[in-house]
Amino acid sequence: MAKFLLNDFVVEEHVKMALCEDVGFGDITTDSVCEGIEVEKIFQVYLTTRHDGVFCGEDVFKKVFKVLAGNEVDVSFYFHDGDLIKKGDKIAKIVGNARFVLTGERLALNYVQRMSGIATISRKYQQIVDKYGVRVVDTRKNTPNFRLFEKYAVKVGGGYLHRFNLSDCVMLKDNHIALLGGDIVEAVRLVRKNISHAHKIEIECDNISQVHKALEAGADIIMLDNMSVADMSSCVKFINKKAIVEASGGVNIDTLEDIAKCGVDIISTSAIVANAPTLDLAFDYLD
């Protein structure tokens, strides 16, 4: 698994900020209840799933309790990132000081529920198109400051990644091209003056005429945006492997396979992140 996406120091900083937001000046409920206990109580808790899915977020879950409690909470996982989980499965056992278990519960769940939901839907989408040799990729329709975790979850689910940010790849969209009066060739000339040899150039095309101009301009990737299946098929034949072909717009679970059959290389969709439901995970307390 691509653990490089979740460097430990980055995860730790994110968790610290999330704890500051959630705990504030103290967990007034838990802290108050624990005042009535003479000896610090040890809780034993299972992390369980109420739905089938793909688990994701083990390291982030552990990090919440590590930052919050040091060595006073022990987390043992029975499943790991990318594993299929079934309704009722015990995913992990959490044992430790009740004060920290209760305070960290919701934040730890928020991470893994969101990430597991994205991993689950990503696998579903990718499995539909695997037989066509097509990759399903995410988009930049991410949650601000949570992009790294969402992209990691897409990867864990078996999906693939688009650019990480605006400096990662050139993408000339319709509005960029409109600024130059629709001159795609000129737009490419201008960006080539500023980019590294390592950057690819992608051009968003709404029609076959724009595809012709994009290929003439030497685009590395041509995006077929909101085109009909028939038009996409025609464009794929015209491009004839001279550029990577990406389909986008109108992509959902019902249209996915028909788009894949057109012969495109990539299908980009915001659905696997922006519309992914959280996977219902929970803490079950043991007596």
Side-chain angles (χ1 to χ4, degrees), residues 43-162:
F43 258 18
Q44 294 187 82
V45 184
Y46 280 122
L47 172 65
T48 63
T49 178
R50 294 170 179 166
H51 291 284
D52 298 350
V54 178
F55 179 70
C56 183
E58 176 182 353
D59 289 348
V60 188
F61 186 94
K62 287 180 178 177
K63 185 63 71 176
V64 170
F65 292 103
K66 184 66 176 177
V67 171
L68 184 63
N71 295 320
E72 293 197 51
V73 175
D74 180 69
V75 182
S76 301
F77 273 89
Y78 310 130
F79 291 87
H80 306 287
D81 289 358
D83 286 348
L84 294 175
I85 52 178
K86 298 291 185 182
K87 180 179 179 179
D89 279 344
K90 293 180 174 65
I91 302 167
K93 187 176 183 180
I94 302 95
V95 180
N97 187 313
R99 184 189 300 269
F100 296 124
V101 174
L102 288 168
T103 297
E105 174 183 0
R106 175 44 55 193
L107 180 61
L109 281 172
N110 284 345
Y111 276 111
V112 292
Q113 285 183 311
R114 176 72 178 140
M115 294 171 74
S116 296
I118 293 169
T120 299
I121 195 170
S122 295
R123 178 163 296 186
K124 186 175 183 179
Y125 270 63
Q126 185 58 47
Q127 285 180 335
I128 290 173
V129 303
D130 263 345
K131 60 185 176 183
Y132 302 105
V134 177
R135 291 185 171 191
V136 174
V137 306
D138 64 345
T139 72
R140 280 179 50 250
K141 291 182 180 178
N142 300 100
T143 307
N145 293 323
F146 203 72
R147 180 178 305 181
L148 191 65
F149 300 96
E150 291 173 340
K151 283 186 171 289
Y152 175 75
V154 168
K155 192 72 174 170
V156 165
Y160 295 86
L161 306 180
H162 211 297

Side-chain angles (χ1 to χ4, degrees), residues 12-263:
E12 183 164 325
E13 282 303 306
H14 197 279
V15 167
K16 284 179 179 178
M17 290 188 292
L19 282 168
C20 286
E21 176 189 61
D22 197 38
V23 179
F25 295 107
D27 179 354
I28 58 175
T29 307
T30 300
D31 290 346
S32 298
V33 170
C34 286
E35 280 187 6
I37 302 172
E38 292 182 6
V39 180
E40 292 286 4
K41 188 171 182 178
I42 299 300
F43 258 18
Q44 294 187 82
V45 184
Y46 280 122
L47 172 65
T48 63
T49 178
R50 294 170 179 166
H51 291 284
D52 298 350
V54 178
F55 179 70
C56 183
E58 176 182 353
D59 289 348
V60 188
F61 186 94
K62 287 180 178 177
K63 185 63 71 176
V64 170
F65 292 103
K66 184 66 176 177
V67 171
L68 184 63
N71 295 320
E72 293 197 51
V73 175
D74 180 69
V75 182
S76 301
F77 273 89
Y78 310 130
F79 291 87
H80 306 287
D81 289 358
D83 286 348
L84 294 175
I85 52 178
K86 298 291 185 182
K87 180 179 179 179
D89 279 344
K90 293 180 174 65
I91 302 167
K93 187 176 183 180
I94 302 95
V95 180
N97 187 313
R99 184 189 300 269
F100 296 124
V101 174
L102 288 168
T103 297
E105 174 183 0
R106 175 44 55 193
L107 180 61
L109 281 172
N110 284 345
Y111 276 111
V112 292
Q113 285 183 311
R114 176 72 178 140
M115 294 171 74
S116 296
I118 293 169
T120 299
I121 195 170
S122 295
R123 178 163 296 186
K124 186 175 183 179
Y125 270 63
Q126 185 58 47
Q127 285 180 335
I128 290 173
V129 303
D130 263 345
K131 60 185 176 183
Y132 302 105
V134 177
R135 291 185 171 191
V136 174
V137 306
D138 64 345
T139 72
R140 280 179 50 250
K141 291 182 180 178
N142 300 100
T143 307
N145 293 323
F146 203 72
R147 180 178 305 181
L148 191 65
F149 300 96
E150 291 173 340
K151 283 186 171 289
Y152 175 75
V154 168
K155 192 72 174 170
V156 165
Y160 295 86
L161 306 180
H162 211 297
R163 58 180 176 164
F164 280 74
N165 53 44
L166 291 170
S167 63
D168 195 38
C169 169
V170 172
M171 183 181 286
L172 289 165
K173 299 177 74 67
D174 53 358
N175 287 334
H176 297 114
I177 295 165
L179 285 173
L180 298 174
D183 192 337
I184 290 175
V185 174
E186 176 64 4
V188 172
R189 187 190 71 79
L190 289 170
V191 298
R192 283 202 191 280
K193 290 169 54 179
N194 295 310
I195 62 174
S196 159
H197 69 281
H199 284 111
K200 288 191 183 320
I201 296 177
E202 177 166 5
I203 301 176
E204 178 184 274
C205 298
D206 299 327
N207 54 60
I208 296 175
S209 175
Q210 288 181 336
V211 170
H212 287 210
K213 293 177 182 176
L215 202 58
E216 176 190 343
D220 300 296
I221 308 163
I222 296 176
M223 178 197 289
L224 311 179
D225 187 47
N226 282 297
M227 288 191 187
S228 68
V229 170
D231 282 350
M232 282 191 282
S233 295
S234 296
C235 289
V236 168
K237 290 177 182 177
F238 175 77
I239 295 167
N240 193 28
K241 305 294 183 183
K242 295 174 185 173
I244 296 169
V245 183
E246 175 183 335
S248 189
V251 178
N252 56 56
I253 204 72
D254 298 318
T255 63
L256 190 61
E257 188 165 11
D258 284 339
I259 295 171
K261 289 177 181 178
C262 292

